Amino acid sequence: SRDAGGASLSRGGSPPRAADMKLKRFLLRYFPPGIVLEYQRRNGDLETKSIDLLNLTPDTDVEVLINQIVFEEPLIKESKKDSLRTMIYKLMDKIENKDNQRYYLFKILRAHILPLTNCAFNKSGSRFITGSYDRTCRVWDTLSGEELLTLDGHKNVVYAIAFNNPFGDKIVTGSFDKTAKLWDANTGQCIHTLKGHQTEIVCVAFSSQGNTVATGSMDNTAKLWDVETGQQLCTLEGHTAEIVSLNFNTDGDKILTGSFDNTAKVWDVTTGVCFFTLAGHRGEISSTQFDFTGDYCVTGSIDRTAKLWDVNSGQCMETLRGHSDEVLDVCFNSTGNRLVTSSADCTARVYNVMTGACISILIGHEGEISKVHFSPNGAKIITASSDRTCRLWNVETGECLQVLEGHGDEIFSCAFNYEGDTIITGSKDNTCRIWKDNFFMPQDDEDEGAGYED
């Protein structure tokens, strides 16, 4: 079974001895559910570790869970049970499915004169960025719809863009001019230009620690760069065709690349050594992703299948069949127990990761579905289609909950913010649309959940 059990303790610093440390505070992590412990070692160093509650549901027996955590985690004493209980109920409130949640059109932004290539949120959704054929990336205020910054300097199409979430103070842009650039997200200043690729850069990603950025190119290589210095750390060589997808795992020590050579590869971020080549697809890879734990990853291919892989052995665990045309996108939910695939056959399919069973088929679009995402709490899925609409779906039943209509051309990009109350859609009609839900309340940008001081 690929089940995570109840509470999984200790991601982060090396496991400390209780006598050597003092709990300073708890922090909530809503998606995926978890509690981060900030503690001080005897030498004064502040460190964190997390308790992952990936199996938390609205039906969880909270008292049993509290007792398990206190028993297994030396940092948490009996006296902290009340704080722990409060936090667990807060987490459970977030994963409750809001059945009556509906989104309405909040703003239409005509972002660029020339076609858009991509759009992406910062973590809270207070800002988003757009890339374009006009050679710029623009930074927008989500609430006001105001353009805050234009990141100007590339000599060709700005194709791939990303914030360094969860921080949101830097942006990376990858361009057809063969370079990537790192920008200060607050001032718009170009911090570094990353030169070294032979051809167009088509994918970029930050590690979640924010210290490394990756670029993938049509020159069949990916490169890793130090965010602070702009220096190239290593080149990931081995693919025999262009790299079209790359992602870091949660811990930032592995990176996954997907290529038109029909394979994906898992690499060591520190050394640039390839751990495994994930071979088995009979067509080009379209998309790749790690699950939250980093134990599994998924690849989607134009061979009409997706494959689930064990990252620690490089073995294929499941081949997910059922689509009648190319698989264009794949995505895990935040806890890693569900994954969704979208296809040129106009459907998306939801799978149980533990069993490989297809649990629902999302039928209703009249054009290919190029992008698919889970809502942060995993209860809904959004799909973006060439039929000019996005649709929201119930994950477990496959019911279509809402159609987001209004774009005048195919939609190539859709995303939720961290809270799940805002959606952004980007279309070939050259507009971005912001959608807000009917529970929308302006949130404090830095709301990480409550912090409980010791």
Side-chain angles (χ1 to χ4, degrees), residues 240-426:
T240 56
E242 51 261 51
I243 291 173
V244 292
S245 174
L246 44 76
N247 347 75
F248 286 92
N249 65 352
T250 304
D251 292 341
D253 59 351
K254 292 190 181 82
I255 189 166
L256 174 63
T257 54
S259 167
F260 277 179
D261 66 9
N262 302 3
T263 73
K265 288 176 185 281
V266 180
W267 311 78
D268 183 339
V269 168
T270 314
T271 63
V273 169
C274 178
F275 285 124
F276 298 110
T277 297
L278 310 180
H281 280 295
R282 295 177 177 178
E284 297 169 354
I285 306 292
S286 58
S287 51
T288 59
Q289 203 193 3
F290 280 107
D291 82 331
F292 172 75
T293 65
D295 292 331
Y296 307 109
C297 68
V298 62
T299 53
S301 166
I302 69 169
D303 70 6
R304 308 180 178 188
T305 72
K307 287 179 184 282
L308 184 68
W309 307 83
D310 182 323
V311 170
N312 300 306
S313 69
Q315 295 300 302
C316 178
M317 302 172 63
E318 298 284 350
T319 297
L320 307 172
R321 305 177 197 279
H323 284 296
S324 59
D325 206 338
E326 303 179 358
V327 172
L328 301 175
D329 199 18
V330 292
C331 186
F332 282 103
N333 66 358
S334 71
T335 59
N337 68 349
R338 296 281 181 271
L339 75 84
V340 61
T341 58
S342 74
S343 169
D345 69 9
C346 311
T347 73
R349 299 174 78 93
V350 183
Y351 295 88
N352 178 327
V353 173
M354 313 307 162
T355 64
C358 178
I359 58 173
S360 56
I361 305 175
L362 314 182
I363 298 171
H365 278 297
E366 293 168 10
E368 65 177 36
I369 302 173
S370 62
K371 283 285 183 297
V372 64
H373 288 290
F374 282 91
S375 63
N377 73 0
K380 295 185 176 69
I381 283 169
I382 187 168
T383 49
S385 169
S386 63
D387 69 8
R388 308 178 175 193
T389 71
C390 281
R391 285 175 178 249
L392 289 148
W393 311 81
N394 179 303
V395 170
E396 301 300 317
T397 67
E399 176 197 358
C400 180
L401 303 171
Q402 195 180 352
V403 182
L404 303 183
E405 294 180 286
H407 276 296
D409 205 338
E410 69 181 78
I411 302 173
F412 55 76
S413 185
C414 60
F416 285 97
N417 68 337
Y418 180 78
E419 192 60 36
D421 61 15
T422 311
I423 290 167
I424 187 170
T425 56

Side-chain angles (χ1 to χ4, degrees), residues 73-289:
E73 177 47 69
L75 275 168
I76 300 179
K77 305 287 182 278
E78 287 279 335
S79 61
K80 290 284 171 280
K81 276 187 170 179
D82 285 347
S83 297
L84 201 54
R85 185 177 295 108
T86 306
M87 299 186 81
I88 290 169
Y89 277 116
K90 275 198 151 199
L91 291 175
M92 286 167 75
D93 186 49
K94 285 285 182 190
I95 56 179
E96 196 76 65
N97 183 16
K98 298 191 190 117
D99 282 328
N100 54 345
Q101 183 182 37
R102 291 293 177 271
Y103 293 84
Y104 64 92
L105 182 61
F106 179 71
K107 286 231 163 28
I108 303 175
L109 301 174
R110 295 180 206 294
H112 298 259
I113 305 293
L114 292 177
L116 283 167
T117 54
N118 231 314
C119 46
F121 273 125
N122 66 353
K123 180 179 162 182
S124 69
S126 63
R127 294 175 167 207
F128 69 94
I129 49 178
T130 53
S132 168
Y133 275 79
D134 70 9
R135 308 179 177 191
T136 71
C137 171
R138 297 188 184 186
V139 184
W140 305 82
D141 181 277
T142 308
L143 267 184
S144 69
E146 240 180 298
E147 182 186 320
L148 300 173
L149 299 166
T150 298
L151 310 182
D152 201 353
H154 281 295
K155 296 181 169 63
N156 208 327
V157 175
V158 173
Y159 191 73
I161 55 178
F163 272 105
N164 65 335
N165 292 338
F167 312 105
D169 61 346
K170 292 190 180 70
I171 292 163
V172 63
T173 53
S175 169
F176 287 179
D177 69 9
K178 311 177 195 176
T179 73
K181 288 178 183 285
L182 283 165
W183 309 81
D184 183 310
N186 298 313
T187 66
Q189 183 186 352
C190 179
I191 306 166
H192 298 295
T193 298
L194 312 179
K195 294 180 182 167
H197 281 294
Q198 304 302 302
T199 54
E200 296 93 330
I201 293 173
V202 292
C203 44
V204 294
F206 279 102
S207 66
S208 55
Q209 294 68 27
N211 55 353
T212 310
V213 71
T215 52
S217 167
M218 308 283 271
D219 67 11
N220 307 355
T221 73
K223 289 178 185 287
L224 301 178
W225 312 80
D226 183 296
V227 170
E228 206 50 50
T229 65
Q231 293 298 302
Q232 182 178 310
L233 298 171
C234 54
T235 300
L236 310 181
E237 291 183 279
H239 282 297
T240 56
E242 51 261 51
I243 291 173
V244 292
S245 174
L246 44 76
N247 347 75
F248 286 92
N249 65 352
T250 304
D251 292 341
D253 59 351
K254 292 190 181 82
I255 189 166
L256 174 63
T257 54
S259 167
F260 277 179
D261 66 9
N262 302 3
T263 73
K265 288 176 185 281
V266 180
W267 311 78
D268 183 339
V269 168
T270 314
T271 63
V273 169
C274 178
F275 285 124
F276 298 110
T277 297
L278 310 180
H281 280 295
R282 295 177 177 178
E284 297 169 354
I285 306 292
S286 58
S287 51
T288 59
Q289 203 193 3

Side-chain angles (χ1 to χ4, degrees), residues 5-7 53 55-70 81 84-85 88-89 92 95:
L53 304 174
N55 290 357
L56 194 68
T57 71
D59 306 321
T60 296
D61 186 322
V62 175
E63 297 313 308
V64 169
L65 181 57
I66 288 170
N67 288 334
Q68 184 203 347
I69 292 171
V70 171
K81 276 187 170 179
L84 201 54
R85 185 177 295 108
I88 290 169
Y89 277 116
M92 286 167 75
I95 56 179

